[in-house]
Amino acid sequence: MLFRRKKKSGPVKVDDRLTHIAFILDGNGRWAKKRGMPREYGHSEGAQTFKRIVRYCGDIGIKVVTVYAFSTENWSRPKGEVDRIISLLDEYIAGAERELDENKIRYTFLGDKSVFAPGMVERMTRLEEISAHYELRLNIALNYGARAEIVHACRELAESGEEITEESLSSKLYTAGCPDPDLIVRTANERRLSNFLLWQAAYSELYFTPTLWPDMRPEDVDEAVADFYARERRFGGVTSK
Ligand code: IPE
Ligand code: IPE
Ligand code: MG
């Protein structure tokens, strides 16, 4: 077996069967609650985890990482919590620009940016532009909802008069040009997609772990990767075994 847990086998390396991993990061609130702390504390710890996990995915050879950071439904949370999450993300974006030469990541934001403050929109757009030549892609789903994304893509197609095909619709999604996720990992014991990449996940492998997002470590990624490699993807065909 080629892909084993890091603890036992040293760093795993992925191949072209696993180019894109997406994470539904969940459990920040519960992580904080367990420690008797406000939910916001879980989000700031989660932001550190985010950096660590993205770096590790790059190290093991993943080409595209997508992270669900804030959904269109998350606006329904208390204002203080929403403000904290958005300001953490804005700090992350500013830091990403400062560290761009070091991290060499190509950033793309999935979702409607226009709802954010003009300064933040500017930082998001600039980061996308100045990082566009890097290879390792990081998609950050922010004010993202898959249904809204599909409706937005359909409207664009209707306006342009283009023929409606799977390819033309894919080309109007926020993920245009990215391969579909091979593996979607959701933390914190929830087993649902919560309006994430509904179109792109048609044949993704799903992996659920009880680990709360702030506790997520490279070893947990190794475990998800090993689980992925133990599966057979048939895409509707017949088994090769
Ligand atoms: C994930 O953690 C972060 C966001 C959805 C923004 P949660 O905040 O959903 O944490 P739980 O699910 O309440 O524990
Ligand atoms: C999904 O997590 C959204 C993000 C990870 C940004 P939620 O915590 O909002 O999802 P539900 O409410 O448990 O489905
Ligand atoms: Mg949650």
Side-chain angles (χ1 to χ4, degrees):
M1 175 77 181
L2 201 57
F3 300 92
R4 270 175 301 191
R5 296 196 57 175
K6 189 177 180 215
K7 271 184 217 151
K8 294 175 196 145
S9 62
V12 293
K13 276 282 176 194
V14 300
D15 58 18
D16 58 10
R17 284 175 289 172
L18 181 47
T19 57
H20 183 176
I21 296 192
F23 293 95
I24 302 176
L25 58 92
D26 202 6
N28 290 352
R30 277 164 278 178
W31 186 91
K33 197 173 168 209
K34 260 175 53 180
R35 287 160 177 77
M37 300 293 281
R39 295 175 55 82
E40 287 76 4
Y41 179 60
H43 295 308
S44 61
E45 202 58 32
Q48 297 309 314
T49 304
F50 177 78
K51 290 186 199 163
R52 194 166 54 230
I53 295 298
V54 170
R55 198 175 310 124
Y56 184 68
C57 287
D59 289 347
I60 62 171
I62 299 289
K63 303 252 181 334
V64 186
V65 181
T66 299
V67 182
Y68 200 9
F70 192 84
S71 73
T72 46
E73 289 75 34
N74 287 147
W75 295 105
S76 66
R77 295 186 179 203
K79 185 172 182 309
E81 179 175 349
V82 169
D83 288 350
R84 181 67 186 135
I85 296 172
I86 303 300
S87 79
L88 278 165
L89 285 160
D90 199 12
E91 280 165 32
Y92 173 84
I93 292 161
E97 182 173 345
R98 284 193 302 273
E99 293 165 16
L100 191 59
D101 292 343
E102 192 186 323
N103 292 335
K104 301 185 176 10
I105 291 173
R106 175 179 178 182
Y107 295 88
T108 306
F109 294 96
L110 314 182
D112 179 9
K113 292 188 190 76
S114 67
V115 298
F116 297 111
M120 182 166 167
V121 176
E122 205 179 292
R123 282 184 283 283
M124 292 164 86
T125 309
R126 190 169 59 233
L127 184 61
E128 288 181 319
E129 286 169 2
I130 63 175
S131 69
H133 58 291
Y134 287 119
E135 235 171 79
L136 168 61
R137 289 192 75 148
L138 173 57
N139 299 320
I140 304 176
L142 186 45
N143 187 31
Y144 174 87
R147 288 183 171 180
E149 178 187 37
I150 293 167
V151 168
H152 173 261
C154 292
R155 283 207 184 111
E156 293 229 327
L157 280 182
E159 275 167 25
S160 71
E162 257 177 88
E163 192 189 349
I164 298 176
T165 63
E166 293 188 9
E167 288 72 28
S168 67
L169 201 142
S170 295
S171 77
K172 301 291 183 201
L173 298 174
Y174 292 118
T175 50
C178 259
D180 289 339
D182 299 296
L183 175 63
I184 298 179
V185 173
R186 183 168 187 155
T187 57
N189 231 4
E190 307 298 352
R191 291 156 191 250
R192 54 179 170 265
L193 290 174
S194 302
N195 202 14
F196 185 50
L197 301 181
L198 299 183
W199 174 276
Q200 299 88 335
Y203 268 104
S204 302
E205 296 295 328
L206 308 179
Y207 180 84
F208 302 105
T209 170
T211 304
L212 302 175
W213 177 257
D215 288 330
M216 190 80 178
R217 295 289 173 272
E219 293 76 18
D220 300 297
V221 176
D222 292 347
E223 225 169 277
V225 167
D227 198 86
F228 172 87
Y229 275 103
R231 301 180 189 191
E232 188 192 9
R233 302 180 80 187
R234 288 189 291 281
F235 300 99
V238 291
T239 179
S240 59
K241 285 177 188 154

